[in-house]
Amino acid sequence: AIESGVARKVITDWDAYNEELMSRLGSNNKLLRDMTNQAKQDPKRIVFAEADNYKILRAAQIVKEDKIATPILLGNEARIREIMRETEIDLGDVEIIDTKKETPRSEEYTQFLFKKRQRRGMTMFEAKKMITDRNYYGACMVEFGEADALISGLTKNYASTVKPALQIIGIEEGISRVAGMYLMITQKGPFFFGDTTVNINPTAQELVDITVLIEKSVAQLNIQPRVAILSYSNFGSNDGELPEKTREAVKILHEKYPDMIVDGEMQANFALNPALLADNFPFSTLNGKPANTLIFPTLESGNIAYKLMQEIGGAEAVGPILLGLKKPVHVLQLGSSVREIVNMVTIAVIDAQIKCAAKEASQAK
Ligand code: ACO
């Protein structure tokens, strides 16, 4: 579990929970501070794929100085050093790797990539070329244990960053999909949104898999997940492909995961307003307290919702937290701020700590 001090006990009483959250979050954002303290307890090596960028270098300096992580930089060394000189960023004896040049690891990484993808249409020539791409090289560093996590995506679209991770690192055992989650820090406390970044139009079964993945991750934060599967329809009030898909997902979840607090399909206001839900749908298993984990029917709806919350709702969006990969790779939003990059590194370090502890526990068995 993420023992970040975020909440050391599972909180079940909603009022007490909200009160505690507000005191935790306040104006100084204690939740994030607790996560930072957790990261500092066991700093990890973070490889930055886009180190020829001022914001990345500034974030690298902050996480190094705050002892959250040891940065490793990928990119053209002369260019990186020039930016650091111009912006007075000092990263001491930081390791810089230019993946466009032959490195001591290029050959082994190329062979590895070719072996993985040779029956998926990749030629040796292509593998050689791809390994010079910083996302492929960085994913290999994580796969081979030469870095603990990869951070990328500031300047590229999401898909081109997540694909190398899927191809090289792959998904955790027992998991069928990776998915993206946002922690939305709002005036009403934290909410978890998913899938906001990966699965474009998941099937009912894929929605089930995404829900299980996200629900587990929320529970790892020692917060009792209360999950609403969202749609534009309430419990069968509308027909149509999307409501039917979400209805089917809820049916499977109720059958297969009877202990999970989950209901739907429902509109977002019913999920978040217990009085409204109780008045209209007293049978709902979500009754009594609002949902804190919102599952969206498509990537489009999830992605739009969190960005609206960010821009109009004044929420701080922490993420996207990429869930389900075997090893930590985290993909920034295009154009993230330095603060968002630092938050993402913090998450990546905690993710690496958790995965490392899980590996040690399974090896000890
Ligand atoms: N979970 C697990 N495995 C997956 C997933 C998934 N969600 N998607 C693809 N894979 C697997 C594939 O099956 C494939 O397996 P293989 O090794 O058997 O070939 C492997 O990963 C590699 O897949 P590719 O074929 O290279 O990639 P694919 O074409 O399936 O694309 C991708 C995957 C890039 C994630 C695609 O689904 C996509 O573009 N999603 C949308 C991403 C996006 O644009 N997000 C926008 C928001 S970003 C933001 O706002 C921060």
Side-chain angles (χ1 to χ4, degrees):
I2 299 182
E3 279 292 333
S4 59
V6 173
R8 296 209 181 271
K9 61 184 188 334
V10 173
I11 300 154
T12 45
D13 181 296
W14 186 252
D15 287 336
Y17 166 63
N18 256 343
E19 210 173 286
E20 194 202 66
L21 283 175
M22 291 327 289
S23 71
R24 270 201 250 147
L25 295 173
S27 55
N28 56 7
N29 227 333
K30 193 166 175 306
L31 177 66
L32 284 175
R33 250 197 1 238
D34 286 343
M35 289 172 84
T36 305
N37 288 335
Q38 164 74 12
K40 282 181 190 176
Q41 283 171 26
D42 183 14
K44 298 285 179 190
R45 297 159 303 164
I46 302 291
V47 54
F48 291 94
E50 298 154 305
D52 51 355
N53 180 290
Y54 163 71
K55 285 197 270 186
I56 293 287
L57 291 171
R58 180 62 71 204
Q61 184 184 31
I62 293 169
V63 297
K64 184 169 190 252
E65 283 176 1
D66 286 355
K67 299 191 169 49
I68 294 170
T70 305
I72 302 168
L73 310 179
L74 300 187
N76 179 283
E77 182 161 0
R79 177 80 193 117
I80 292 172
R81 294 218 179 271
E82 186 189 332
I83 301 171
M84 290 204 284
R85 209 169 29 250
E86 279 169 2
T87 54
E88 295 179 352
I89 289 174
D90 181 6
L91 282 166
D93 58 355
V94 67
E95 184 180 3
I96 303 177
I97 301 170
D98 186 346
T99 62
K100 295 280 176 230
K101 295 182 182 158
E102 181 81 20
T103 78
R105 307 297 290 127
S106 308
E107 178 57 27
E108 195 175 351
Y109 290 176
T110 304
Q111 292 294 345
F112 178 78
L113 177 60
F114 178 59
K115 214 168 160 201
K116 278 224 142 183
R117 304 303 294 173
Q118 63 190 357
R119 289 178 188 273
R120 292 276 189 281
M122 189 180 285
T123 64
M124 181 53 116
F125 178 79
E126 282 169 324
K128 256 193 181 114
K129 194 161 162 246
M130 273 172 156
I131 237 40
T132 65
D133 176 293
R134 289 179 274 173
N135 286 318
Y136 277 91
Y137 195 97
C140 279
M141 286 185 74
V142 175
E143 177 63 18
F144 279 75
E146 279 139 22
D148 299 306
L150 169 68
I151 298 280
S152 184
L154 181 68
T155 59
K156 280 195 169 176
N157 71 49
Y158 196 86
S160 60
T161 313
V162 83
K163 251 176 133 152
L166 282 170
Q167 292 182 359
I168 288 169
I169 293 173
I171 50 179
E172 254 175 68
E173 214 174 298
I175 281 177
S176 69
R177 316 286 314 154
V178 300
M181 174 178 90
Y182 265 96
L183 158 59
M184 304 299 295
I185 297 178
T186 78
Q187 284 304 310
K188 290 189 172 178
F191 290 87
F192 299 88
F193 283 26
D195 173 6
T196 45
T197 56
V198 182
N199 299 280
I200 297 169
N201 188 9
T203 62
Q205 183 56 52
E206 286 168 357
L207 262 187
V208 169
D209 296 345
I210 291 166
T211 305
V212 171
L213 186 62
I214 290 176
E215 199 256 3
K216 188 174 140 217
S217 306
V218 174
Q220 280 185 333
L221 284 161
N222 290 336
I223 289 176
Q224 169 74 65
R226 297 179 52 78
V227 185
I229 310 288
L230 299 183
S231 182
Y232 59 84
S233 163
N234 287 308
F235 305 99
S237 67
N238 286 300
D239 291 330
E241 201 183 311
L242 288 178
E244 277 162 27
K245 174 177 85 171
T246 46
R247 214 171 295 151
E248 175 64 16
V250 173
K251 191 165 163 261
I252 301 171
L253 285 163
H254 282 169
E255 279 166 13
K256 284 205 177 157
Y257 304 92
D259 294 336
M260 189 188 289
I261 302 172
V262 56
D263 214 353
E265 85 284 6
M266 66 175 78
Q267 296 168 351
N269 55 338
F270 288 93
L272 298 170
N273 185 329
L276 202 61
L277 187 68
D279 270 357
N280 292 277
F281 307 105
F283 56 86
S284 172
T285 53
L286 260 189
N287 258 315
K289 297 166 192 168
N292 57 11
T293 304
L294 305 182
I295 303 296
F296 293 86
T298 60
L299 179 58
E300 200 168 33
S301 51
N303 195 273
I304 291 170
Y306 96 77
K307 285 182 193 281
L308 286 176
M309 286 288 298
Q310 218 178 357
E311 294 300 325
I312 308 178
E316 172 148 12
V318 180
I321 306 171
L322 188 54
L323 305 172
L325 277 178
K326 226 184 279 167
K327 294 185 178 167
V329 172
H330 288 284
V331 184
L332 298 162
Q333 290 190 77
L334 192 68
S336 295
S337 66
V338 172
R339 180 189 163 96
E340 285 167 334
I341 301 167
V342 171
N343 286 346
M344 189 55 101
V345 174
T346 307
I347 286 168
V349 170
I350 295 174
D351 191 5
Q353 290 172 349
I354 292 169
K355 288 193 162 92
C356 197
K359 194 174 162 200
E360 279 168 11
S362 83
Q363 279 169 350
K365 271 186 196 162

